[in-house]
Amino acid sequence: MKQHQNILIAGVGGQGNLVCGKTLAQAAVEEGYKPVVGQIFGASRRGGTVQTHVRISNSNLGPLIPRGDVHIILGLEPMETLRAAIEYAGPETIALMSETPVQTVDSLAGRKLYPRLDELRGSLSALARRVYSVDPTETLEDLGTYRVQNSYMLGALCGIQTARLSKESIKTGLIEIVGRSQPNTEAFEEGLKAGRCAVSE
């Protein structure tokens, strides 16, 4: 087993990126590790780039993941997943991407098209060892909120079985951070199912 595991959470402001980081850190503490969490913010507004660095180890590590040393990219938004991979992916990187885009100002204004998902997946495959993608849209619409996508993606992370943390620890960490709200726990369980069915590219 690796001496440490680095997880980079990539998304935009308002997607619950920071909650994912806190949940994984809580789960790591639960399992006796010494997690470190660092955050990088782009534009300081809703919709701006947000990256959370989670480093799980038994020793003391710096808060930011060195470039090329990311083991898992947990992507809450497709284009932000690719942006994080361009900057941080290395030979061991596994990317898990939500297929739910957040349109940019330019794409909303009709000045540029948002990239096609197959193009984004193809570009990710050239940068990462394995790429998984899941589509939370139907689940989130059934639950009536997109605010629990982060819980869905944490469940999907458990489903693809690449994190060194157990599903039980991550779920417990999530409950400790956000409480036992039904939409969050349902989203987590649906994400878990999706992750288990996901096939890597």
Side-chain angles (χ1 to χ4, degrees):
M1 181 177 284
K2 295 182 286 285
Q3 295 300 309
H4 65 279
Q5 187 168 59
N6 294 323
I7 302 175
L8 178 62
I9 304 158
V12 298
Q15 286 193 302
N17 191 310
L18 305 183
V19 169
C20 283
K22 287 179 181 178
T23 296
L24 292 173
Q26 183 65 35
V29 169
E30 186 83 20
E31 296 193 13
Y33 294 109
K34 298 176 179 176
V36 180
V37 178
Q39 294 153 2
I40 295 177
F41 299 91
S44 57
R45 58 177 168 74
R46 181 171 289 269
T49 297
V50 179
Q51 293 179 346
T52 301
H53 296 227
V54 181
R55 309 192 73 191
I56 299 167
S57 174
N58 286 317
S59 58
N60 296 321
L61 298 173
L64 299 182
I65 301 169
R67 292 182 184 207
D69 197 25
V70 169
H71 299 108
I72 300 171
I73 296 175
L74 180 61
L76 304 182
E77 201 283 332
M79 211 150 59
E80 293 301 328
T81 307
L82 178 59
R83 197 186 313 269
I86 289 170
E87 194 169 356
Y88 288 99
E92 298 298 317
T93 302
I94 295 171
L96 170 61
M97 176 183 79
S98 165
E99 296 179 356
T100 304
V102 175
Q103 297 295 325
T104 65
V105 172
D106 284 337
S107 65
L108 288 171
R111 291 190 291 266
K112 290 183 180 176
L113 292 176
Y114 189 93
R116 295 197 334 249
L117 284 174
D118 61 329
E119 292 175 338
L120 290 171
R121 274 194 296 265
S123 297
L124 267 175
S125 295
L127 296 167
R129 184 162 62 92
R130 279 186 281 158
V131 176
Y132 297 88
S133 64
V134 292
D135 185 358
T137 305
E138 185 176 344
T139 295
L140 301 180
E141 288 180 351
D142 287 347
L143 291 170
T145 177
Y146 277 73
R147 293 177 58 88
V148 295
Q149 181 183 216
N150 54 354
S151 299
Y152 183 98
M153 292 304 295
L154 286 169
L157 176 65
C158 296
I160 65 170
Q161 298 182 320
T162 56
R164 69 165 41 179
L165 303 170
S166 71
K167 177 196 77 160
E168 290 75 19
S169 295
I170 293 176
K171 187 173 181 180
T172 299
L174 179 66
I175 291 169
E176 289 185 14
I177 299 297
V178 301
R180 290 186 177 275
S181 79
Q182 186 178 357
N184 275 297
T185 54
E186 282 189 30
F188 180 90
E189 293 299 334
E190 291 302 316
L192 178 62
K193 291 177 196 171
R196 285 174 174 162
C197 295
V199 177
S200 68
E201 295 184 16

